[in-house]
Amino acid sequence: MATLTAEQKKEYVANGGGACPHCGGGDLESSRLEADGNIAWAAVHCEGCGKRWKDEYTLTGVSTE
């Protein structure tokens, strides 16, 4: 996993994770979402620059069927 600066992380999250936080490319591949308790994550790989990282998710709401 590549190290990201606080600013790179902030910008990536603010932009919804749509572009690589390293090179800015949009050719991203994500693994299946995994969860353990109240934490969820997915491994992400940029096809453009080859960097890898994990997207982290938190509960933001609830809806009924």
Side-chain angles (χ1 to χ4, degrees):
M1 300 273 168
T3 303
L4 294 168
T5 67
E7 185 61 33
Q8 286 172 310
K9 291 176 184 179
K10 183 178 176 180
E11 186 175 332
Y12 179 73
V13 171
N15 291 324
C20 176
H22 299 279
C23 73
D27 192 6
L28 307 178
E29 293 290 328
S30 180
S31 71
R32 179 177 230 163
L33 190 65
E34 298 183 47
D36 184 14
N38 63 348
I39 301 168
W41 64 91
V44 184
H45 174 251
C46 177
E47 295 290 334
C49 71
K51 301 284 188 184
R52 297 178 183 275
W53 63 93
K54 285 185 182 176
D55 282 355
E56 301 169 351
Y57 298 90
T58 59
L59 181 65
T60 60
V62 62
S63 62
T64 59
E65 294 180 20

